[in-house]
């Protein structure tokens, strides 16, 4: 009984709805929703069907045991904590839970066989985040220079990466890695994240998965330090950042394209490596602010896409001959929802832009 309500709650929160909004969409009273969610009221088939319709999920999904895995949220990576409402945070957490339920459902009967391995590595006095990032690059024999396909590299180590809408730009990503053996580390990336921040965010999240079990005060700085070294090792990028002046945006733009990192991340890297002074760093921040580049920078970085979930789906179709309907069932979704979430181009906002031919 209690389990059933939490699925309703989870589905409702993932949509960012209040009980009143769900009640309106399911044509029932808020009091009923509240009772259903607290377990004070049993769902009859008719109400169950209405709720499932409103929440766009199979009715039996709402009846499933919502034995929520002891998901350990390794990172709720917030850009602007102040802009996050409680409902938004609940929404992101619900989306995280549901995405894991879907992915683990799709993995039924499949064992991931990563080409690379990694385990949690604890930060010590003589082994900081940068040293850990360097150790992983060495262990994986990552070639010198920029990593060509970061998402592919991280996925090859068994990290499942999916894009999801968080309903806010205040948070870039969430990572989870339950302790239970056999359950994959997972990264959810906000669909709204600009392409030029994607690689740094993935490296940052990977840093959390490697280094963090429980939230700490320093976790964001540590993950940034890991990401900086993983993407652009000090030995290789230091000379490129030497003598950087605060008017050198042309040079930063070239480095941005070469390394696949935003100018803001490169400026921070230069500051971390002390190739610019504190004063220059502050001056850069002022300039970026005045140019409006803190929100959106010029210069494109090719957008990388995850492929692991597509491969899982392809394997299920080929080996188990599952139809889309059966795959949707595994994912705990209706078929249209499954197609929308898992078969549409990940990371793209869907529709290609309209073409407008201009003639003289
Ligand atoms: Zn973080």
């Amino acid at each position: 009984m209690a389990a059933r309500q939490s699925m309703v709650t989870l589905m409702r929160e993932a949509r960012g709805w209040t009980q009143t909004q769900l009640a309106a969409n399911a044509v029932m009273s808020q009091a009923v929703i509240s009772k259903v969610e607290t377990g004070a009221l049993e769902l009859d088939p008719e109400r169950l069907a209405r709720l499932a319709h409103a929440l766009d999920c199979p009715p039996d999904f709402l009846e499933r045991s919502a034995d929520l895995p002891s998901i350990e949220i390794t990172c709720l990576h917030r850009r602007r904590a102040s802009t996050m409402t409680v409902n938004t945070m609940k929404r992101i957490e619900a989306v995280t839970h549901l995405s894991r339920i879907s992915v683990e459902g799709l993995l039924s009967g499949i064992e991931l066989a990563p080409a690379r391995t990694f385990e949690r590595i604890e930060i010590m006095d003589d082994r900081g985040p940068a040293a850990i990032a360097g150790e992983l690059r060495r262990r994986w024999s990552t070639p010198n220079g920029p990593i060509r396909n970061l998402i592919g590299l991280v996925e090859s180590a068994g990290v499942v990466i999916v894009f999801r809408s968080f309903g806010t730009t205040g948070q870039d990503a969430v990572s989870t890695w339950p302790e239970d053996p056999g359950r994959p580390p997972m990264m959810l990336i906000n669909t709204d994240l600009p392409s030029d921040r994607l690689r740094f965010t993935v490296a940052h999240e990977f840093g959390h998965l490697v280094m963090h079990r429980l939230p700490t005060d320093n976790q964001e700085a540590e993950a940034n330090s890991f990401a900086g070294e993983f993407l652009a090792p000090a030995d290789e990028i230091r000379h490129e950042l030497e003598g950087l002046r605060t008017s050198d945006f042309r040079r930063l733009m070239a480095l941005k394209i070469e390394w696949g990192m935003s100018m803001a991340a490169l400026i921070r890297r230069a500051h971390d490596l002390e190739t610019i002074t504190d004063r220059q760093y502050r001056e850069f921040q002022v300039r970026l602010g005045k140019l409006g580049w803190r929100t959106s920078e010029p210069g494109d970085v090719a957008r990388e896409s995850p492929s692991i979930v597509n491969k899982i789906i392809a394997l299920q179709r080929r080996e188990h001959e599952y139809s889309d309907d059966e795959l949707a069932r595994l994912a705990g979704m209706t078929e249209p929802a499954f197609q929308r979430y898992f078969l549409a181009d990940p990371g793209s906002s869907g529709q290609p832009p309209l073409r407008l031919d201009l003639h003289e």
Side-chain angles (χ1 to χ4, degrees):
M1 200 48 206
R4 185 186 296 170
Q5 284 77 48
S6 38
M7 274 306 186
V8 173
T9 310
L10 209 58
M11 289 299 293
R12 173 176 66 72
E13 288 178 347
R15 272 166 178 64
W17 287 349
T18 60
Q19 288 185 341
T20 311
Q21 283 168 305
L22 174 57
N25 284 300
V27 201
M28 52 183 81
S29 72
Q30 184 268 331
V32 168
I33 301 285
S34 169
K35 282 181 190 162
V36 166
E37 289 195 16
T38 55
L41 185 70
E42 187 92 32
L43 272 170
D44 58 66
E46 199 257 322
R47 280 182 174 139
L48 180 66
R50 260 162 43 202
L51 274 180
H53 181 73
L55 292 166
D56 188 19
C57 68
D60 59 357
F61 186 75
L62 295 179
E63 289 188 304
R64 248 192 221 187
S65 148
D67 173 28
L68 285 187
S70 52
I71 282 182
E72 165 196 340
I73 307 240
T74 57
C75 171
L76 281 175
H77 180 202
R78 269 158 213 156
R79 293 184 59 215
R80 294 180 294 277
S82 57
T83 66
M84 300 279 284
T85 62
V86 173
N87 272 356
T88 307
M89 289 194 284
K90 277 188 181 166
R91 176 175 182 169
I92 294 167
E93 286 180 31
V95 168
T96 305
H97 282 301
L98 290 168
S99 299
R100 181 170 281 280
I101 290 171
S102 293
V103 165
E104 291 186 352
L106 287 171
L107 270 169
S108 304
I110 292 179
E111 193 184 328
L112 291 177
R116 296 177 173 80
T117 57
F118 74 100
E119 68 278 357
R120 286 197 168 94
I121 304 176
E122 225 172 297
I123 295 172
M124 314 256 242
D125 286 344
D126 59 347
R127 188 178 61 194
I132 293 173
E135 197 180 315
L136 267 172
R137 273 188 78 120
R138 266 192 309 283
R139 233 194 266 174
W140 287 358
S141 309
T142 311
N144 284 355
I147 295 173
R148 222 170 35 82
N149 177 4
L150 178 73
I151 286 189
L153 181 73
V154 172
E155 282 193 321
S156 75
V159 179
V160 178
I161 301 179
V162 295
F163 282 88
R164 282 289 175 272
S165 173
F166 290 174
T168 172
T169 53
Q171 180 152 338
D172 294 341
V174 182
S175 301
T176 58
W177 192 6
E179 299 279 351
D180 331 59
R183 307 189 60 192
M186 214 173 140
M187 226 181 254
L188 253 71
I189 312 282
N190 191 340
T191 324
D192 294 331
L193 187 70
S195 292
D196 56 6
R197 294 227 323 271
L198 177 58
R199 282 163 52 91
F200 194 87
T201 299
V202 169
H204 171 108
E205 291 301 313
F206 185 49
H208 281 306
L209 288 172
V210 173
M211 303 182 296
H212 298 134
R213 240 170 248 266
L214 298 167
T216 68
D217 288 345
N218 301 327
Q219 67 170 37
E220 295 314 303
E222 288 165 356
N224 282 339
S225 165
F226 175 98
E229 183 65 21
F230 197 74
L231 278 181
D235 288 351
E236 295 170 46
I237 202 165
R238 183 178 275 114
H239 71 277
E240 302 211 54
L241 294 169
E242 236 135 53
L244 185 70
R245 286 173 298 115
T246 52
S247 53
D248 257 349
F249 283 110
R250 193 181 288 266
R251 188 168 151 196
L252 278 172
M253 184 68 88
L255 287 173
K256 171 174 182 167
I257 290 157
E258 184 188 352
W259 289 88
M261 290 163 78
S262 67
M263 289 191 270
L266 286 161
I267 292 165
R268 188 163 58 204
R269 192 79 184 119
H271 187 236
D272 287 348
L273 298 176
E274 296 177 1
T275 66
I276 57 171
T277 62
D278 288 346
R279 190 187 53 79
Q280 283 178 305
Y281 181 71
R282 284 194 301 273
E283 203 176 313
F284 261 128
Q285 300 310 317
V286 172
R287 285 191 177 220
L288 289 178
K290 279 189 183 153
L291 290 161
W293 290 0
R294 277 177 193 276
T295 354
S296 172
E297 279 184 13
D300 277 336
V301 167
R303 193 170 183 88
E304 297 181 3
S305 298
S307 62
I308 205 165
V309 175
N310 291 346
K311 287 176 184 162
I312 292 167
I313 291 170
L315 188 66
Q316 291 287 26
R317 281 179 173 151
R318 200 174 60 236
E319 298 300 321
H320 295 150
E321 295 178 4
Y322 283 135
S323 63
D324 281 4
D325 177 50
E326 288 166 318
L327 288 168
R329 216 167 269 280
L330 286 182
M333 292 175 156
T334 60
E335 198 177 331
F338 171 71
Q339 285 171 343
R340 207 167 51 245
Y341 282 109
F342 286 109
L343 303 183
D345 183 18
S348 88
S349 46
Q351 300 280 331
L354 291 174
R355 188 185 153 90
L356 176 63
D357 284 321
L358 298 173
H359 300 284
E360 274 184 308

